[in-house]
Amino acid sequence: MTPPVALSTAPSEQDQLDRSLLGGIAWTGSMKWFAQLVSWVSTLVVARLLAPQDYGIIGMASVYLGLVTLFNEFGLGTAIVTKPELTGRQVAQLNSLSVLIGSAAFLLSCVVAMPLAAFYGAPLLRRVVMTMSLAFVITALQTVPTALLQRDFRFKWLAVSEGLQAVAASLSMVILALLGCGYWTLVFGNLTGVAVITLLALIMRPHRFAWPHLNELKDTLTFGSHIMGSRLAWYAQSNADFLVAGRVLGSAALGAYTFAWTLASMPVDKVSALMGRVTPAFFSAVQNDRDALRRYLLNLTEALALIAIPLALGVALVSDELVLLLLGEKWIGVIGPLRVLSVAAALRPLATLLPQVLTVTGDTRVAMNWGLVGVFVLPAGFVLGSAWGTVGIASAWLLVYPLTIIPLYRLVFRRVHVSVGQYMLSVWPALSG
């Protein structure tokens, strides 16, 4: 096992961290874009073979499954990355606990599947939910190995495994779509990708198991509960629009809205995911050095803005041509929400750094509490916006979401001693361009 990076950030150690950060971003970025290219091609092929209703069924299942996924991880991976003082025995206990939680999540899904199908009025949803829930058990096996790979700065291997996951999932989806499998194309395609990346993580960084003793894991589980609470709050905010669209507007509208969200979010979310894979380990390494934290926050913000803002606004400007050229007339309902969601998507990547900073400054509880406030604000906007269809729901992201992240910005600025002017100087190159 590679020893954890010391928290001291002397000039030579800082240079080494910077080189590791750039190397991690380079490897992760190159493989992310490769995976993105493969996913784009397969998505376009599959979209022409499937109907909006097929995506609607998966969208209904994803609202519930995504929620349970947050419980399934329980913040254990983040705790391992952030707390290098954890012993091998404790990590082994967390490994077993992860598998136990994943198995419980699968059993819960089997029970919930029928009421969920009745709620949406879609009997087919029952089998879809039960089948897709197998991913909970599979991913539980990779939580600890993946976190250890991040903590050891082994981003090259993580990047390669994600690239292989994208290839496996995309190929299987195209094959299944050509065979006429309908919505099962998306179900088994995703399961294939999850199985591949889990197998690779277990090969690259196996770790033993030990029966969990909660008294030994008390501090870690408290930390993880705060992380999970923040993620649950974000999940409730970011998926309430799908719930409202499916319940109020129906499966066809939900399918169009889901595809609009995918097209609007895909470019910028991949950039955010790139940073999210690499940066937590580095924020953790300098968690006791506020100057280094501030430097990383400002530099990474500038880099994110330069990439994400042009991508998001570019999609908004060509939304009509993009949908008609790539998807065809049957997806014309995607254009309106796509245009609005693309503009809103320009804001989200910059905010992804905030919880990472608050995690290492010990403000996980405060971040969770503010996230819970947003749970009530954004969904209310979605309900009001649904009166204007999918465009109205999308507009709530543009009008309400900025209000929910202002408290987090204020807290981060205080913790790392950043002024609004300094932050805006980091964003200005992208905005001025």
Side-chain angles (χ1 to χ4, degrees), residues 15-50:
D15 291 342
Q16 183 178 359
L17 275 177
D18 289 348
R19 288 193 296 270
S20 297
L21 175 60
L22 292 174
I25 290 176
W27 268 104
T28 305
S30 60
M31 292 307 298
K32 284 282 186 185
W33 284 110
F34 167 74
Q36 186 63 77
L37 178 61
V38 173
S39 298
W40 275 338
V41 173
S42 67
T43 298
L44 295 174
V45 172
V46 171
R48 287 186 170 272
L49 296 172
L50 301 185

PDB file of all heavy atoms in Angstrom, residues 15-50:
ATOM      1  N   ASP A  15       5.192  21.064  -4.820  1.00  0.00           N
ATOM      2  CA  ASP A  15       5.479  20.808  -6.237  1.00  0.00           C
ATOM      3  C   ASP A  15       5.125  19.382  -6.616  1.00  0.00           C
ATOM      4  O   ASP A  15       4.588  19.129  -7.700  1.00  0.00           O
ATOM      5  CB  ASP A  15       6.961  21.076  -6.524  1.00  0.00           C
ATOM      6  CG  ASP A  15       7.306  22.555  -6.428  1.00  0.00           C
ATOM      7  OD1 ASP A  15       6.372  23.380  -6.491  1.00  0.00           O
ATOM      8  OD2 ASP A  15       8.498  22.874  -6.279  1.00  0.00           O
ATOM      9  N   GLN A  16       5.439  18.449  -5.710  1.00  0.00           N
ATOM     10  CA  GLN A  16       5.117  17.050  -5.985  1.00  0.00           C
ATOM     11  C   GLN A  16       3.611  16.841  -6.058  1.00  0.00           C
ATOM     12  O   GLN A  16       3.105  16.117  -6.931  1.00  0.00           O
ATOM     13  CB  GLN A  16       5.725  16.147  -4.903  1.00  0.00           C
ATOM     14  CG  GLN A  16       5.505  14.654  -5.149  1.00  0.00           C
ATOM     15  CD  GLN A  16       6.150  13.790  -4.082  1.00  0.00           C
ATOM     16  OE1 GLN A  16       6.790  14.310  -3.162  1.00  0.00           O
ATOM     17  NE2 GLN A  16       5.981  12.490  -4.189  1.00  0.00           N
ATOM     18  N   LEU A  17       2.877  17.486  -5.137  1.00  0.00           N
ATOM     19  CA  LEU A  17       1.412  17.397  -5.175  1.00  0.00           C
ATOM     20  C   LEU A  17       0.862  17.982  -6.467  1.00  0.00           C
ATOM     21  O   LEU A  17      -0.048  17.421  -7.080  1.00  0.00           O
ATOM     22  CB  LEU A  17       0.818  18.129  -3.976  1.00  0.00           C
ATOM     23  CG  LEU A  17       0.709  17.365  -2.654  1.00  0.00           C
ATOM     24  CD1 LEU A  17       0.154  18.278  -1.572  1.00  0.00           C
ATOM     25  CD2 LEU A  17      -0.152  16.124  -2.798  1.00  0.00           C
ATOM     26  N   ASP A  18       1.423  19.129  -6.877  1.00  0.00           N
ATOM     27  CA  ASP A  18       0.963  19.767  -8.113  1.00  0.00           C
ATOM     28  C   ASP A  18       1.184  18.859  -9.315  1.00  0.00           C
ATOM     29  O   ASP A  18       0.320  18.747 -10.195  1.00  0.00           O
ATOM     30  CB  ASP A  18       1.685  21.094  -8.325  1.00  0.00           C
ATOM     31  CG  ASP A  18       1.230  22.162  -7.331  1.00  0.00           C
ATOM     32  OD1 ASP A  18       0.218  21.948  -6.656  1.00  0.00           O
ATOM     33  OD2 ASP A  18       1.913  23.202  -7.238  1.00  0.00           O
ATOM     34  N   ARG A  19       2.355  18.228  -9.360  1.00  0.00           N
ATOM     35  CA  ARG A  19       2.632  17.315 -10.485  1.00  0.00           C
ATOM     36  C   ARG A  19       1.685  16.118 -10.462  1.00  0.00           C
ATOM     37  O   ARG A  19       1.206  15.674 -11.509  1.00  0.00           O
ATOM     38  CB  ARG A  19       4.089  16.850 -10.443  1.00  0.00           C
ATOM     39  CG  ARG A  19       5.100  17.926 -10.833  1.00  0.00           C
ATOM     40  CD  ARG A  19       6.468  17.327 -11.076  1.00  0.00           C
ATOM     41  NE  ARG A  19       7.023  16.741  -9.862  1.00  0.00           N
ATOM     42  CZ  ARG A  19       7.770  17.409  -8.988  1.00  0.00           C
ATOM     43  NH1 ARG A  19       8.058  18.695  -9.187  1.00  0.00           N
ATOM     44  NH2 ARG A  19       8.239  16.808  -7.901  1.00  0.00           N
ATOM     45  N   SER A  20       1.430  15.602  -9.257  1.00  0.00           N
ATOM     46  CA  SER A  20       0.501  14.472  -9.148  1.00  0.00           C
ATOM     47  C   SER A  20      -0.904  14.882  -9.558  1.00  0.00           C
ATOM     48  O   SER A  20      -1.616  14.118 -10.219  1.00  0.00           O
ATOM     49  CB  SER A  20       0.486  13.945  -7.707  1.00  0.00           C
ATOM     50  OG  SER A  20       1.751  13.453  -7.328  1.00  0.00           O
ATOM     51  N   LEU A  21      -1.292  16.114  -9.172  1.00  0.00           N
ATOM     52  CA  LEU A  21      -2.614  16.607  -9.545  1.00  0.00           C
ATOM     53  C   LEU A  21      -2.747  16.740 -11.057  1.00  0.00           C
ATOM     54  O   LEU A  21      -3.733  16.291 -11.653  1.00  0.00           O
ATOM     55  CB  LEU A  21      -2.876  17.954  -8.877  1.00  0.00           C
ATOM     56  CG  LEU A  21      -4.173  18.675  -9.252  1.00  0.00           C
ATOM     57  CD1 LEU A  21      -5.385  17.824  -8.888  1.00  0.00           C
ATOM     58  CD2 LEU A  21      -4.250  20.039  -8.583  1.00  0.00           C
ATOM     59  N   LEU A  22      -1.737  17.340 -11.679  1.00  0.00           N
ATOM     60  CA  LEU A  22      -1.781  17.509 -13.136  1.00  0.00           C
ATOM     61  C   LEU A  22      -1.774  16.159 -13.845  1.00  0.00           C
ATOM     62  O   LEU A  22      -2.483  15.955 -14.830  1.00  0.00           O
ATOM     63  CB  LEU A  22      -0.600  18.363 -13.597  1.00  0.00           C
ATOM     64  CG  LEU A  22      -0.634  19.833 -13.176  1.00  0.00           C
ATOM     65  CD1 LEU A  22       0.660  20.534 -13.579  1.00  0.00           C
ATOM     66  CD2 LEU A  22      -1.838  20.534 -13.784  1.00  0.00           C
ATOM     67  N   GLY A  23      -0.948  15.233 -13.340  1.00  0.00           N
ATOM     68  CA  GLY A  23      -0.920  13.899 -13.938  1.00  0.00           C
ATOM     69  C   GLY A  23      -2.247  13.177 -13.789  1.00  0.00           C
ATOM     70  O   GLY A  23      -2.734  12.532 -14.721  1.00  0.00           O
ATOM     71  N   GLY A  24      -2.852  13.299 -12.592  1.00  0.00           N
ATOM     72  CA  GLY A  24      -4.141  12.662 -12.368  1.00  0.00           C
ATOM     73  C   GLY A  24      -5.227  13.238 -13.254  1.00  0.00           C
ATOM     74  O   GLY A  24      -6.041  12.506 -13.820  1.00  0.00           O
ATOM     75  N   ILE A  25      -5.225  14.575 -13.394  1.00  0.00           N
ATOM     76  CA  ILE A  25      -6.213  15.221 -14.253  1.00  0.00           C
ATOM     77  C   ILE A  25      -5.990  14.837 -15.713  1.00  0.00           C
ATOM     78  O   ILE A  25      -6.943  14.602 -16.465  1.00  0.00           O
ATOM     79  CB  ILE A  25      -6.157  16.750 -14.072  1.00  0.00           C
ATOM     80  CG1 ILE A  25      -6.681  17.126 -12.693  1.00  0.00           C
ATOM     81  CG2 ILE A  25      -6.980  17.451 -15.151  1.00  0.00           C
ATOM     82  CD1 ILE A  25      -6.580  18.601 -12.373  1.00  0.00           C
ATOM     83  N   ALA A  26      -4.715  14.766 -16.121  1.00  0.00           N
ATOM     84  CA  ALA A  26      -4.418  14.420 -17.514  1.00  0.00           C
ATOM     85  C   ALA A  26      -4.912  13.012 -17.844  1.00  0.00           C
ATOM     86  O   ALA A  26      -5.582  12.794 -18.863  1.00  0.00           O
ATOM     87  CB  ALA A  26      -2.923  14.535 -17.764  1.00  0.00           C
ATOM     88  N   TRP A  27      -4.578  12.056 -16.980  1.00  0.00           N
ATOM     89  CA  TRP A  27      -5.008  10.682 -17.225  1.00  0.00           C
ATOM     90  C   TRP A  27      -6.532  10.560 -17.149  1.00  0.00           C
ATOM     91  O   TRP A  27      -7.168   9.973 -18.031  1.00  0.00           O
ATOM     92  CB  TRP A  27      -4.366   9.734 -16.210  1.00  0.00           C
ATOM     93  CG  TRP A  27      -3.076   9.159 -16.693  1.00  0.00           C
ATOM     94  CD1 TRP A  27      -1.810   9.506 -16.308  1.00  0.00           C
ATOM     95  CD2 TRP A  27      -2.924   8.132 -17.674  1.00  0.00           C
ATOM     96  NE1 TRP A  27      -0.884   8.764 -16.990  1.00  0.00           N
ATOM     97  CE2 TRP A  27      -1.533   7.906 -17.827  1.00  0.00           C
ATOM     98  CE3 TRP A  27      -3.818   7.381 -18.441  1.00  0.00           C
ATOM     99  CZ2 TRP A  27      -1.032   6.955 -18.718  1.00  0.00           C
ATOM    100  CZ3 TRP A  27      -3.322   6.432 -19.329  1.00  0.00           C
ATOM    101  CH2 TRP A  27      -1.941   6.229 -19.459  1.00  0.00           C
ATOM    102  N   THR A  28      -7.088  11.132 -16.090  1.00  0.00           N
ATOM    103  CA  THR A  28      -8.537  11.037 -15.921  1.00  0.00           C
ATOM    104  C   THR A  28      -9.258  11.761 -17.043  1.00  0.00           C
ATOM    105  O   THR A  28     -10.261  11.275 -17.584  1.00  0.00           O
ATOM    106  CB  THR A  28      -8.947  11.629 -14.560  1.00  0.00           C
ATOM    107  OG1 THR A  28      -8.204  10.983 -13.520  1.00  0.00           O
ATOM    108  CG2 THR A  28     -10.428  11.429 -14.315  1.00  0.00           C
ATOM    109  N   GLY A  29      -8.747  12.947 -17.413  1.00  0.00           N
ATOM    110  CA  GLY A  29      -9.388  13.724 -18.469  1.00  0.00           C
ATOM    111  C   GLY A  29      -9.365  13.029 -19.814  1.00  0.00           C
ATOM    112  O   GLY A  29     -10.373  12.991 -20.526  1.00  0.00           O
ATOM    113  N   SER A  30      -8.211  12.471 -20.166  1.00  0.00           N
ATOM    114  CA  SER A  30      -8.106  11.812 -21.471  1.00  0.00           C
ATOM    115  C   SER A  30      -9.044  10.616 -21.555  1.00  0.00           C
ATOM    116  O   SER A  30      -9.729  10.413 -22.570  1.00  0.00           O
ATOM    117  CB  SER A  30      -6.659  11.376 -21.725  1.00  0.00           C
ATOM    118  OG  SER A  30      -6.212  10.472 -20.728  1.00  0.00           O
ATOM    119  N   MET A  31      -9.120   9.835 -20.474  1.00  0.00           N
ATOM    120  CA  MET A  31      -9.996   8.675 -20.499  1.00  0.00           C
ATOM    121  C   MET A  31     -11.471   9.072 -20.375  1.00  0.00           C
ATOM    122  O   MET A  31     -12.351   8.417 -20.938  1.00  0.00           O
ATOM    123  CB  MET A  31      -9.617   7.708 -19.372  1.00  0.00           C
ATOM    124  CG  MET A  31      -8.260   7.049 -19.574  1.00  0.00           C
ATOM    125  SD  MET A  31      -8.075   6.239 -21.191  1.00  0.00           S
ATOM    126  CE  MET A  31      -9.355   4.996 -21.110  1.00  0.00           C
ATOM    127  N   LYS A  32     -11.739  10.167 -19.638  1.00  0.00           N
ATOM    128  CA  LYS A  32     -13.119  10.643 -19.544  1.00  0.00           C
ATOM    129  C   LYS A  32     -13.636  11.053 -20.919  1.00  0.00           C
ATOM    130  O   LYS A  32     -14.772  10.751 -21.289  1.00  0.00           O
ATOM    131  CB  LYS A  32     -13.197  11.828 -18.584  1.00  0.00           C
ATOM    132  CG  LYS A  32     -13.122  11.473 -17.116  1.00  0.00           C
ATOM    133  CD  LYS A  32     -14.429  10.934 -16.600  1.00  0.00           C
ATOM    134  CE  LYS A  32     -14.369  10.730 -15.090  1.00  0.00           C
ATOM    135  NZ  LYS A  32     -15.599  10.085 -14.577  1.00  0.00           N
ATOM    136  N   TRP A  33     -12.802  11.771 -21.664  1.00  0.00           N
ATOM    137  CA  TRP A  33     -13.245  12.225 -22.978  1.00  0.00           C
ATOM    138  C   TRP A  33     -13.345  11.063 -23.961  1.00  0.00           C
ATOM    139  O   TRP A  33     -14.218  11.052 -24.830  1.00  0.00           O
ATOM    140  CB  TRP A  33     -12.323  13.320 -23.504  1.00  0.00           C
ATOM    141  CG  TRP A  33     -12.583  14.621 -22.837  1.00  0.00           C
ATOM    142  CD1 TRP A  33     -11.790  15.278 -21.949  1.00  0.00           C
ATOM    143  CD2 TRP A  33     -13.768  15.421 -22.967  1.00  0.00           C
ATOM    144  NE1 TRP A  33     -12.402  16.436 -21.525  1.00  0.00           N
ATOM    145  CE2 TRP A  33     -13.603  16.550 -22.125  1.00  0.00           C
ATOM    146  CE3 TRP A  33     -14.940  15.303 -23.705  1.00  0.00           C
ATOM    147  CZ2 TRP A  33     -14.573  17.541 -22.013  1.00  0.00           C
ATOM    148  CZ3 TRP A  33     -15.907  16.289 -23.589  1.00  0.00           C
ATOM    149  CH2 TRP A  33     -15.713  17.391 -22.756  1.00  0.00           C
ATOM    150  N   PHE A  34     -12.462  10.099 -23.811  1.00  0.00           N
ATOM    151  CA  PHE A  34     -12.598   8.891 -24.632  1.00  0.00           C
ATOM    152  C   PHE A  34     -13.909   8.183 -24.305  1.00  0.00           C
ATOM    153  O   PHE A  34     -14.672   7.800 -25.211  1.00  0.00           O
ATOM    154  CB  PHE A  34     -11.422   7.951 -24.373  1.00  0.00           C
ATOM    155  CG  PHE A  34     -11.628   6.563 -24.923  1.00  0.00           C
ATOM    156  CD1 PHE A  34     -11.538   6.319 -26.282  1.00  0.00           C
ATOM    157  CD2 PHE A  34     -11.924   5.506 -24.065  1.00  0.00           C
ATOM    158  CE1 PHE A  34     -11.735   5.035 -26.790  1.00  0.00           C
ATOM    159  CE2 PHE A  34     -12.126   4.231 -24.565  1.00  0.00           C
ATOM    160  CZ  PHE A  34     -12.031   3.993 -25.926  1.00  0.00           C
ATOM    161  N   ALA A  35     -14.178   8.033 -22.993  1.00  0.00           N
ATOM    162  CA  ALA A  35     -15.423   7.387 -22.579  1.00  0.00           C
ATOM    163  C   ALA A  35     -16.628   8.195 -23.029  1.00  0.00           C
ATOM    164  O   ALA A  35     -17.656   7.642 -23.435  1.00  0.00           O
ATOM    165  CB  ALA A  35     -15.435   7.207 -21.061  1.00  0.00           C
ATOM    166  N   GLN A  36     -16.484   9.529 -22.974  1.00  0.00           N
ATOM    167  CA  GLN A  36     -17.590  10.385 -23.392  1.00  0.00           C
ATOM    168  C   GLN A  36     -17.883  10.238 -24.877  1.00  0.00           C
ATOM    169  O   GLN A  36     -19.044  10.185 -25.301  1.00  0.00           O
ATOM    170  CB  GLN A  36     -17.256  11.849 -23.087  1.00  0.00           C
ATOM    171  CG  GLN A  36     -18.395  12.799 -23.343  1.00  0.00           C
ATOM    172  CD  GLN A  36     -19.582  12.509 -22.446  1.00  0.00           C
ATOM    173  OE1 GLN A  36     -19.590  12.841 -21.283  1.00  0.00           O
ATOM    174  NE2 GLN A  36     -20.607  11.865 -22.992  1.00  0.00           N
ATOM    175  N   LEU A  37     -16.828  10.175 -25.680  1.00  0.00           N
ATOM    176  CA  LEU A  37     -17.010  10.003 -27.118  1.00  0.00           C
ATOM    177  C   LEU A  37     -17.723   8.693 -27.419  1.00  0.00           C
ATOM    178  O   LEU A  37     -18.661   8.638 -28.227  1.00  0.00           O
ATOM    179  CB  LEU A  37     -15.652  10.047 -27.820  1.00  0.00           C
ATOM    180  CG  LEU A  37     -15.659   9.840 -29.338  1.00  0.00           C
ATOM    181  CD1 LEU A  37     -16.471  10.933 -30.022  1.00  0.00           C
ATOM    182  CD2 LEU A  37     -14.236   9.809 -29.890  1.00  0.00           C
ATOM    183  N   VAL A  38     -17.282   7.624 -26.758  1.00  0.00           N
ATOM    184  CA  VAL A  38     -17.920   6.328 -26.945  1.00  0.00           C
ATOM    185  C   VAL A  38     -19.387   6.383 -26.513  1.00  0.00           C
ATOM    186  O   VAL A  38     -20.278   5.873 -27.200  1.00  0.00           O
ATOM    187  CB  VAL A  38     -17.166   5.244 -26.151  1.00  0.00           C
ATOM    188  CG1 VAL A  38     -17.919   3.913 -26.187  1.00  0.00           C
ATOM    189  CG2 VAL A  38     -15.751   5.058 -26.707  1.00  0.00           C
ATOM    190  N   SER A  39     -19.634   7.045 -25.367  1.00  0.00           N
ATOM    191  CA  SER A  39     -21.008   7.137 -24.855  1.00  0.00           C
ATOM    192  C   SER A  39     -21.895   7.966 -25.776  1.00  0.00           C
ATOM    193  O   SER A  39     -23.064   7.626 -25.993  1.00  0.00           O
ATOM    194  CB  SER A  39     -20.998   7.747 -23.450  1.00  0.00           C
ATOM    195  OG  SER A  39     -20.285   6.928 -22.551  1.00  0.00           O
ATOM    196  N   TRP A  40     -21.345   9.075 -26.308  1.00  0.00           N
ATOM    197  CA  TRP A  40     -22.129   9.901 -27.222  1.00  0.00           C
ATOM    198  C   TRP A  40     -22.562   9.109 -28.454  1.00  0.00           C
ATOM    199  O   TRP A  40     -23.722   9.144 -28.863  1.00  0.00           O
ATOM    200  CB  TRP A  40     -21.314  11.112 -27.656  1.00  0.00           C
ATOM    201  CG  TRP A  40     -21.392  12.264 -26.716  1.00  0.00           C
ATOM    202  CD1 TRP A  40     -22.372  12.523 -25.796  1.00  0.00           C
ATOM    203  CD2 TRP A  40     -20.440  13.319 -26.599  1.00  0.00           C
ATOM    204  NE1 TRP A  40     -22.077  13.677 -25.105  1.00  0.00           N
ATOM    205  CE2 TRP A  40     -20.908  14.190 -25.581  1.00  0.00           C
ATOM    206  CE3 TRP A  40     -19.248  13.632 -27.246  1.00  0.00           C
ATOM    207  CZ2 TRP A  40     -20.214  15.333 -25.202  1.00  0.00           C
ATOM    208  CZ3 TRP A  40     -18.566  14.776 -26.874  1.00  0.00           C
ATOM    209  CH2 TRP A  40     -19.047  15.607 -25.859  1.00  0.00           C
ATOM    210  N   VAL A  41     -21.607   8.404 -29.035  1.00  0.00           N
ATOM    211  CA  VAL A  41     -21.914   7.633 -30.248  1.00  0.00           C
ATOM    212  C   VAL A  41     -22.972   6.581 -29.948  1.00  0.00           C
ATOM    213  O   VAL A  41     -23.968   6.438 -30.680  1.00  0.00           O
ATOM    214  CB  VAL A  41     -20.642   6.982 -30.812  1.00  0.00           C
ATOM    215  CG1 VAL A  41     -20.993   6.048 -31.972  1.00  0.00           C
ATOM    216  CG2 VAL A  41     -19.653   8.051 -31.285  1.00  0.00           C
ATOM    217  N   SER A  42     -22.770   5.836 -28.867  1.00  0.00           N
ATOM    218  CA  SER A  42     -23.735   4.779 -28.545  1.00  0.00           C
ATOM    219  C   SER A  42     -25.096   5.360 -28.175  1.00  0.00           C
ATOM    220  O   SER A  42     -26.137   4.795 -28.524  1.00  0.00           O
ATOM    221  CB  SER A  42     -23.209   3.911 -27.396  1.00  0.00           C
ATOM    222  OG  SER A  42     -23.140   4.648 -26.196  1.00  0.00           O
ATOM    223  N   THR A  43     -25.106   6.502 -27.478  1.00  0.00           N
ATOM    224  CA  THR A  43     -26.376   7.129 -27.098  1.00  0.00           C
ATOM    225  C   THR A  43     -27.176   7.546 -28.319  1.00  0.00           C
ATOM    226  O   THR A  43     -28.397   7.342 -28.386  1.00  0.00           O
ATOM    227  CB  THR A  43     -26.124   8.355 -26.197  1.00  0.00           C
ATOM    228  OG1 THR A  43     -25.481   7.927 -24.994  1.00  0.00           O
ATOM    229  CG2 THR A  43     -27.427   9.052 -25.851  1.00  0.00           C
ATOM    230  N   LEU A  44     -26.492   8.116 -29.299  1.00  0.00           N
ATOM    231  CA  LEU A  44     -27.179   8.536 -30.512  1.00  0.00           C
ATOM    232  C   LEU A  44     -27.718   7.351 -31.291  1.00  0.00           C
ATOM    233  O   LEU A  44     -28.838   7.384 -31.823  1.00  0.00           O
ATOM    234  CB  LEU A  44     -26.228   9.363 -31.390  1.00  0.00           C
ATOM    235  CG  LEU A  44     -25.783  10.707 -30.797  1.00  0.00           C
ATOM    236  CD1 LEU A  44     -24.742  11.363 -31.693  1.00  0.00           C
ATOM    237  CD2 LEU A  44     -26.982  11.630 -30.607  1.00  0.00           C
ATOM    238  N   VAL A  45     -26.930   6.277 -31.360  1.00  0.00           N
ATOM    239  CA  VAL A  45     -27.386   5.074 -32.065  1.00  0.00           C
ATOM    240  C   VAL A  45     -28.584   4.467 -31.347  1.00  0.00           C
ATOM    241  O   VAL A  45     -29.614   4.136 -31.967  1.00  0.00           O
ATOM    242  CB  VAL A  45     -26.241   4.049 -32.172  1.00  0.00           C
ATOM    243  CG1 VAL A  45     -26.763   2.724 -32.728  1.00  0.00           C
ATOM    244  CG2 VAL A  45     -25.119   4.587 -33.053  1.00  0.00           C
ATOM    245  N   VAL A  46     -28.459   4.334 -30.020  1.00  0.00           N
ATOM    246  CA  VAL A  46     -29.534   3.706 -29.244  1.00  0.00           C
ATOM    247  C   VAL A  46     -30.799   4.569 -29.272  1.00  0.00           C
ATOM    248  O   VAL A  46     -31.914   4.046 -29.358  1.00  0.00           O
ATOM    249  CB  VAL A  46     -29.056   3.470 -27.795  1.00  0.00           C
ATOM    250  CG1 VAL A  46     -30.219   3.028 -26.909  1.00  0.00           C
ATOM    251  CG2 VAL A  46     -27.947   2.423 -27.770  1.00  0.00           C
ATOM    252  N   ALA A  47     -30.634   5.905 -29.213  1.00  0.00           N
ATOM    253  CA  ALA A  47     -31.803   6.797 -29.208  1.00  0.00           C
ATOM    254  C   ALA A  47     -32.613   6.665 -30.486  1.00  0.00           C
ATOM    255  O   ALA A  47     -33.845   6.814 -30.475  1.00  0.00           O
ATOM    256  CB  ALA A  47     -31.358   8.241 -29.013  1.00  0.00           C
ATOM    257  N   ARG A  48     -31.953   6.401 -31.599  1.00  0.00           N
ATOM    258  CA  ARG A  48     -32.675   6.226 -32.862  1.00  0.00           C
ATOM    259  C   ARG A  48     -33.416   4.897 -32.919  1.00  0.00           C
ATOM    260  O   ARG A  48     -34.350   4.741 -33.700  1.00  0.00           O
ATOM    261  CB  ARG A  48     -31.712   6.352 -34.039  1.00  0.00           C
ATOM    262  CG  ARG A  48     -31.257   7.790 -34.296  1.00  0.00           C
ATOM    263  CD  ARG A  48     -30.417   7.898 -35.554  1.00  0.00           C
ATOM    264  NE  ARG A  48     -30.182   9.297 -35.910  1.00  0.00           N
ATOM    265  CZ  ARG A  48     -30.982  10.039 -36.663  1.00  0.00           C
ATOM    266  NH1 ARG A  48     -32.101   9.504 -37.136  1.00  0.00           N
ATOM    267  NH2 ARG A  48     -30.693  11.298 -36.939  1.00  0.00           N
ATOM    268  N   LEU A  49     -32.990   3.940 -32.109  1.00  0.00           N
ATOM    269  CA  LEU A  49     -33.614   2.622 -32.118  1.00  0.00           C
ATOM    270  C   LEU A  49     -34.690   2.478 -31.042  1.00  0.00           C
ATOM    271  O   LEU A  49     -35.585   1.648 -31.166  1.00  0.00           O
ATOM    272  CB  LEU A  49     -32.544   1.540 -31.918  1.00  0.00           C
ATOM    273  CG  LEU A  49     -31.490   1.444 -33.037  1.00  0.00           C
ATOM    274  CD1 LEU A  49     -30.382   0.491 -32.631  1.00  0.00           C
ATOM    275  CD2 LEU A  49     -32.133   0.989 -34.341  1.00  0.00           C
ATOM    276  N   LEU A  50     -34.593   3.290 -29.976  1.00  0.00           N
ATOM    277  CA  LEU A  50     -35.569   3.225 -28.902  1.00  0.00           C
ATOM    278  C   LEU A  50     -36.576   4.376 -29.024  1.00  0.00           C
ATOM    279  O   LEU A  50     -36.381   5.295 -29.807  1.00  0.00           O
ATOM    280  CB  LEU A  50     -34.871   3.279 -27.543  1.00  0.00           C
ATOM    281  CG  LEU A  50     -33.843   2.183 -27.243  1.00  0.00           C
ATOM    282  CD1 LEU A  50     -33.345   2.312 -25.817  1.00  0.00           C
ATOM    283  CD2 LEU A  50     -34.412   0.798 -27.482  1.00  0.00           C
TER     284      LEU A  50
END
